[in-house]
């Protein structure tokens, strides 16, 4: 269907409407969307109305230039920021949930094994294995997750992967022993917990 | 100046369109496309050039340029392109009062496509296109969408209205507002 010609209305347009109609007529004419009758009338006016010709050329110039621009893709039309912003919120919530879950795990295990008194009673061999508090916390959390259940381990791992705002900076690789020491503690702790579990059962 | 109205050059005439497409159906299609707009171009040129023979000469040049450049013109912009070229030719003719022969001789170094423009013209055209592109991105998304569908995809306003499930008048209004805004932006940049 071709857009209707406003000139077909009986009512006489006001000056503003006439200008508007002229703009619109030029646009429709250049885009070949006028009816044949409207097109003939427009061309008849064009031969005598220099202002109409000026307007037509202005519009022609713009349309020709527009056609030389690169076609806008969906990405250009819909700013990608909206999605990014939404995903940032989701990531932040996941990160928060993961932090809370980790906190609970640590709080459940930490009190009996991290008092200074118990550290004082350790043998030299144990002290060599005893890492920093931070390492111990990580180790025990890991060991606990081995016995608590696979589902919670998976959710923690997923949260860690999905969390783009991990606040924990990477450790410098200067001291290899301190990096792996938590593993030794973890294995020892895991064995201990399994033994206790066996005794209980 | 000739007294009788001369039709646009026959695209089958190698002298008139040498170096252009050798495909007869394609040439015929180009001629038909030109003839659809020719009456409008003639009407427009009547308000710019006094002599009917000058109008014929101008139309000949426009047609030759059309045959040379048609492949590079987006279908939705055919009329716009032809009117722009006609306006440029009329202005050139009015200034120099050159003969058809001179204009046809010049056409080898003065064509309406990006590839054939002088470096300075090419730079201006590129800058204008970039300005339009930039201004286009500042428009509301639904206006941009209509412009893209109408100009780049060559959908009619009715097809756009159907696809977007909006009234025909709304599609038309978005396009008109978009072109108004773009022109204001370009006028503002030019001053």
């Amino acid at each position: 269907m071709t857009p209707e010609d406003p000139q077909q209305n009986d009512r006489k347009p006001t000056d503003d409407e006439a200008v508007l109609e002229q703009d619109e007529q030029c646009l429709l004419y250049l885009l070949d969307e006028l009816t044949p009758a409207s097109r003939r009338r427009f061309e008849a006016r064009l031969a005598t109305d220099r202002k109409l010709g000026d307007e037509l050329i202005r519009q022609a110039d713009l349309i020709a230039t527009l056609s030389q621009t690169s076609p806008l893709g969906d990405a250009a039309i819909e700013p990608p920021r909206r999605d990014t912003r939404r995903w940032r919120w989701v990531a932040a919530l996941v990160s928060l949930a993961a932090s809370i879950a980790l906190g609970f795990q640590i709080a459940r295990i930490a009190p009996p094994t991290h008092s200074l008194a118990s550290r004082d009673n350790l043998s030299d061999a144990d002290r060599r294995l005893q890492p920093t508090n931070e390492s111990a916390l990580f180790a025990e959390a890991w060991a606990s997750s081995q016995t608590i259940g696979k589902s919670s381990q998976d959710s923690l791992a997923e949260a860690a992967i999905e969390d783009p705002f991990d606040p924990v900076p990477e450790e410098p690789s200067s001291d290899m022993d301190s990096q792996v020491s938590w593993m030794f503690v973890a294995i020892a702790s895991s064995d201990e917990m399994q033994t206790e579990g066996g005794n209980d059962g | 100046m000739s007294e009788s109205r001369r039709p646009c050059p026959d695209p089958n005439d190698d002298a008139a369109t040498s170096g252009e497409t050798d495909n007869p159906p394609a040439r015929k299609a180009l001629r038909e496309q030109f003839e659809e707009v020719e009456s409008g171009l003639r009407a427009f040129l009547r308000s710019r050039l006094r002599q009917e023979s000058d109008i014929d000469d101008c139309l000949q040049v426009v047609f030759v340029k059309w045959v040379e450049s048609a492949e590079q013109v987006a279908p939705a912009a055919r009329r716009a392109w032809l009117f722009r070229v006609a306006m440029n030719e009329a202005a050139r003719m009015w200034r120099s009062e050159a003969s058809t022969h001179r204009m046809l001789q010049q056409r080898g170094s003065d064509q309406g496509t990006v590839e054939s423009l002088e470096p300075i013209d090419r730079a201006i055209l590129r800058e204008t296109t970039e300005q339009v592109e930039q201004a286009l991105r500042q428009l509301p998304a639904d206006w941009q969408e209509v412009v893209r569908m109408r100009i780049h995809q060559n959908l009619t306003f009715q097809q756009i209205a159907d696809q977007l499930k909006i009234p025909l008048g709304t599609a038309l209004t978005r396009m008109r507002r978009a072109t108004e805004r773009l022109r204001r932006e370009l006028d503002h940049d030019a001053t």
Side-chain angles (χ1 to χ4, degrees):
Chain A
M1 190 180 103
T2 306
E4 285 190 18
D5 178 9
Q7 285 190 341
Q8 288 173 346
N9 295 335
D10 291 337
R11 187 176 63 88
K12 193 174 179 182
T14 63
D15 286 350
D16 284 349
E17 284 174 336
V19 171
L20 198 67
E21 285 175 5
Q22 183 168 296
D23 287 0
E24 199 164 284
Q25 291 263 307
C26 288
L27 185 65
L28 292 173
Y29 177 77
L30 289 169
L31 295 171
D32 198 16
E33 293 227 29
L34 285 180
T35 60
S38 299
R39 191 165 60 232
R40 278 194 296 274
R41 274 200 299 273
F42 183 86
E43 288 176 353
R45 276 180 62 202
L46 199 57
T48 55
D49 190 342
R50 198 179 168 89
K51 278 187 179 177
L52 182 63
D54 291 342
E55 174 60 27
L56 184 74
I57 287 301
R58 274 197 293 272
Q59 298 240 14
D61 221 22
L62 181 60
I63 290 171
T65 307
L66 267 174
S67 73
Q68 288 167 345
T69 59
S70 57
L72 294 166
D74 291 339
I77 288 173
E78 287 189 23
R81 281 185 173 187
R82 276 186 208 161
D83 284 340
T84 308
R85 219 176 276 164
R86 192 188 306 152
W87 279 111
R88 278 186 181 177
W89 276 107
V90 171
L93 286 172
V94 169
S95 174
L96 185 64
S99 302
I100 291 168
L102 186 62
F104 273 116
Q105 298 277 5
I106 291 168
R108 194 186 298 177
I109 302 161
T113 56
H114 283 84
S115 64
L116 289 172
S118 63
R119 278 181 70 93
D120 291 338
N121 294 333
L122 290 172
S123 66
D124 288 344
D126 288 335
R127 277 200 184 125
R128 275 199 298 276
L129 281 174
Q130 185 72 17
T132 61
N133 278 346
E134 189 183 1
S135 298
L137 291 176
F138 277 110
E140 283 166 2
W142 177 82
S144 172
S145 68
Q146 295 294 304
T147 53
I148 286 167
K150 196 173 183 310
S151 60
S152 74
Q153 183 190 20
D154 288 347
S155 64
L156 279 173
E158 282 170 15
I161 290 167
E162 287 178 5
D163 181 11
F165 304 106
D166 188 358
V168 181
E170 283 189 14
E171 290 287 332
S173 58
S174 57
D175 187 356
M176 195 68 177
D177 286 341
S178 69
Q179 282 190 354
V180 298
S181 60
W182 70 272
M183 285 189 181
F184 293 107
V185 178
I187 292 164
S189 178
S190 178
D191 289 341
E192 189 180 279
M193 290 177 83
Q194 280 177 354
T195 308
E196 284 173 9
N199 290 340
D200 291 340
Chain B
M1 300 289 178
S2 61
E3 292 194 9
S4 63
R5 182 180 297 177
R6 281 174 294 178
C8 62
D10 183 353
N12 294 312
D13 178 5
D14 288 340
T17 59
S18 58
E20 321 320 333
T21 175
D22 292 329
N23 184 355
R27 274 187 280 182
K28 188 172 177 233
L30 289 177
R31 182 174 194 175
E32 285 171 358
Q33 288 166 4
F34 183 83
E35 284 174 352
E36 281 175 17
V37 190
E38 190 179 359
S39 61
L41 291 172
R42 188 175 289 281
F44 167 74
L45 290 172
R46 277 196 186 119
S47 67
R48 312 278 148 167
L49 299 171
R50 292 173 193 166
Q51 303 284 333
E52 197 69 25
S53 57
D54 289 344
I55 295 171
D56 290 333
D57 292 345
C58 194
L59 284 173
Q60 281 192 39
V61 177
V62 174
F63 176 75
V64 170
K65 288 189 173 184
W66 170 242
V67 173
E68 289 172 343
S69 312
E71 283 182 2
Q72 296 161 54
V73 179
R78 275 179 194 148
R79 266 175 196 268
W81 187 92
L82 284 166
F83 272 91
R84 185 159 76 167
V85 173
M87 175 63 198
N88 290 342
E89 288 306 317
R92 194 190 312 280
M93 202 168 181
W94 190 78
R95 280 197 303 266
S96 66
E97 295 181 2
S99 66
T100 303
H101 179 70
R102 261 181 78 188
M103 283 195 289
L104 287 171
Q105 275 186 330
Q106 284 176 350
R107 73 181 173 86
S109 61
D110 183 23
Q111 298 169 354
T113 60
V114 174
E115 289 70 18
S116 58
L117 290 171
E118 294 296 321
I120 182 72
D121 294 333
R122 198 158 38 218
I124 291 169
L125 182 62
R126 196 181 306 124
E127 191 181 342
T128 307
T129 307
E130 281 171 7
Q131 281 176 347
V132 170
E133 222 161 40
Q134 200 174 0
L136 194 57
R137 290 204 180 91
Q138 305 301 317
L139 296 179
D142 48 0
W143 296 9
Q144 288 184 42
E145 192 172 33
V146 171
V147 171
R148 177 172 58 86
M149 293 171 89
R150 186 62 191 86
I151 301 294
H152 294 115
Q153 296 179 10
N154 198 24
L155 298 178
T156 65
F157 285 116
Q158 186 60 56
Q159 288 170 327
I160 293 169
D162 291 344
Q163 276 201 20
L164 298 180
K165 296 183 172 52
I166 56 175
L168 175 62
T170 304
L172 194 54
T173 302
R174 286 179 188 175
M175 181 73 186
R176 189 170 47 73
R177 286 183 178 163
T179 54
E180 277 173 10
R181 178 82 67 86
L182 289 173
R183 273 176 48 189
R184 269 209 307 272
E185 292 289 327
L186 291 177
D187 290 347
H188 182 262
D189 286 348
T191 53

